[in-house]
Amino acid sequence: MGGQGGVLRGVVFFEALADQIAQYDKFVEEGQPKLFNPQIEISDIYTILLSFVVLVALKSMFLSFADYRLLPSMKRSVKKKLFENLFYTMFYIISSVFGLLIISREKWDLHPLTNNDVSMVRALFDPAPPPMSNLFKAYYATQTGYYVGLMATLFMDTRRSDYTQYLMHHGITLSLMAISFSFGIVRIGLVILILHDICDVFLHAAKTIHYCRVESGSMVFFVLFSAAFVLLRLVIFPRVVVCVGAEVLRYVLEKPDLNNWVAYFDYYLPMWACSVALLIGLYLINCFWMSLISRLIYRELAGSGNVAKDGDIRSDSEDED
């Protein structure tokens, strides 16, 4: 019966798709919707550029502290790692607080673990594009500028064994931000940024404390990081991916009142497919990092390693000084 039900749903799905495509010419005559976010202004571009400059300047300043006579008993290479992770800790704290402030002021409610399919799609996509307050736009523009700055200054960071995955993560995040901002699917972008930024607060705080040689504090933040990583990136984030990749497509086919998305499939389908591919790529990178975290946890429990001694939680083969 389950197989027959699946086939029946598939038939209904493709019948709805065929029906909407058949009505394409009718919808075209009624007027094509805006392809890009109509709320983007030239001031947003200036905000992105300003954020980029500010991030590069602040990061350069923090890393330059390794050349000063601060902490004279510490090697320069260790001091560089200390100030690098201190910078990232402060960055992700500010970013997370800013994002949580934005989402707390929004009038739409999102509860990924309890929302049903329709309510979650409505929260993320309806109306399309959703209205953006000035504060929401400022958040999105500054975050875009910051991630451009992070990409441009990766060469300044300590080389890690997972450098390729780290570069891919930043590239995917920046691509998703550009797509979501351009096409007005900013609620999804806001949720994804918050889910990832909160985890990075605990990660870089643990590494900062480790380089200060406070092993007990480093272990506490490692535990918090591991718990946040599993909950936010491996439980809630995939729920958002499923919503974007499957539930929204089914919803707009059954109820095409959502911005006539299906009627203009030749415009929106490539954007949707690209977004889903990038989200899946981001999830796979999270799974790779979870394998590194699990390895460290196993070594700790087996007594063959020490998280506080290893130092780099997400890339345990990084050279230590």
Side-chain angles (χ1 to χ4, degrees):
M1 292 296 292
Q4 294 178 351
V7 172
L8 181 59
R9 286 194 295 270
V11 171
V12 173
F13 177 92
F14 284 105
E15 284 180 349
L17 176 61
D19 179 67
Q20 292 301 318
I21 292 176
Q23 299 183 50
Y24 178 73
D25 292 336
K26 171 187 173 182
F27 283 116
V28 169
E29 293 174 359
E30 294 176 357
Q32 180 177 315
K34 293 183 181 295
L35 298 181
F36 294 100
N37 187 356
Q39 301 174 80
I40 296 180
E41 301 173 339
I42 190 63
S43 60
D44 299 321
I45 307 300
Y46 294 144
T47 302
I48 292 173
L49 293 175
L50 178 61
S51 302
F52 167 78
V53 172
V54 169
L55 181 130
V56 173
L58 287 175
K59 187 173 182 179
S60 300
M61 181 185 71
F62 268 79
L63 294 182
S64 69
F65 291 157
D67 296 321
Y68 297 154
R69 293 183 178 179
L70 302 172
L71 306 171
S73 62
M74 187 179 292
K75 293 182 179 180
R76 183 190 179 280
S77 57
V78 178
K79 283 197 292 184
K80 180 185 177 184
K81 295 176 184 178
L82 169 62
F83 288 113
E84 175 185 318
N85 284 283
L86 180 60
F87 166 79
Y88 280 120
T89 301
M90 296 178 64
F91 167 77
Y92 286 114
I93 288 175
I94 295 172
S95 176
S96 298
V97 171
F98 196 2
L100 290 172
L101 174 64
I102 297 298
I103 204 168
S104 68
R105 295 191 173 191
E106 291 293 300
K107 296 181 179 179
W108 47 277
D109 294 321
L110 181 66
H111 305 283
L113 298 179
T114 58
N115 280 147
N116 59 37
D117 297 352
V118 174
S119 61
M120 189 163 179
V121 171
R122 280 287 184 186
L124 292 175
F125 290 94
D126 192 17
M132 297 180 70
S133 64
N134 291 332
L135 195 61
F136 195 171
K137 287 198 347 178
Y139 168 81
Y140 229 86
T142 53
Q143 287 292 91
T144 302
Y146 287 154
Y147 269 93
V148 173
L150 292 178
M151 282 287 292
T153 58
L154 275 180
F155 70 93
M156 300 167 62
D157 291 354
T158 302
R159 188 78 178 193
R160 301 149 37 123
S161 64
D162 64 343
Y163 178 81
T164 300
Q165 291 79 12
Y166 195 59
L167 182 64
M168 290 173 59
H169 173 271
H170 277 30
I172 290 174
T173 302
L174 189 57
S175 300
L176 286 169
M177 292 183 68
I179 292 174
S180 61
F181 201 16
S182 299
F183 287 90
I185 46 177
V186 290
R187 290 177 178 175
I188 300 172
L190 173 63
V191 171
I192 292 174
L193 282 172
I194 292 174
L195 292 177
H196 285 72
D197 287 351
I198 292 175
C199 294
D200 285 330
V201 171
F202 298 116
L203 168 66
H204 292 287
K207 293 168 70 174
T208 300
I209 295 173
H210 161 73
Y211 292 123
C212 292
R213 305 304 179 190
V214 183
E215 295 185 359
S216 59
S218 179
M219 177 60 67
V220 169
F221 276 94
F222 169 71
V223 172
L224 292 173
F225 164 70
S226 301
F229 195 97
V230 171
L231 175 62
L232 300 180
R233 296 198 184 191
L234 299 183
V235 176
I236 297 180
F237 176 61
R239 178 72 178 87
V240 176
V241 176
V242 170
C243 177
V244 176
E247 292 169 2
V248 68
L249 187 60
R250 184 182 65 183
Y251 180 78
V252 296
L253 286 171
E254 296 175 353
K255 300 178 181 180
D257 59 320
L258 190 67
N259 204 31
N260 290 340
W261 187 89
V262 180
Y264 300 97
F265 65 94
D266 52 342
Y267 292 105
Y268 291 108
L269 193 58
M271 178 271 293
W272 169 82
C274 182
S275 299
V276 173
L278 290 171
L279 289 171
I280 293 174
L282 193 58
Y283 177 68
L284 292 177
I285 292 174
N286 288 335
C287 291
F288 168 78
W289 278 331
M290 188 64 220
S291 70
L292 298 183
I293 297 169
S294 300
R295 189 188 312 169
L296 281 177
I297 294 174
Y298 173 79
R299 287 165 54 185
E300 182 70 19
L301 295 176
S304 59
N306 188 294
V307 172
K309 181 179 178 181
D310 291 334
D312 195 329
I313 293 169
R314 206 168 51 189
S315 178
D316 62 343
S317 61
E318 182 186 273
D319 293 335
E320 278 293 308
D321 292 289

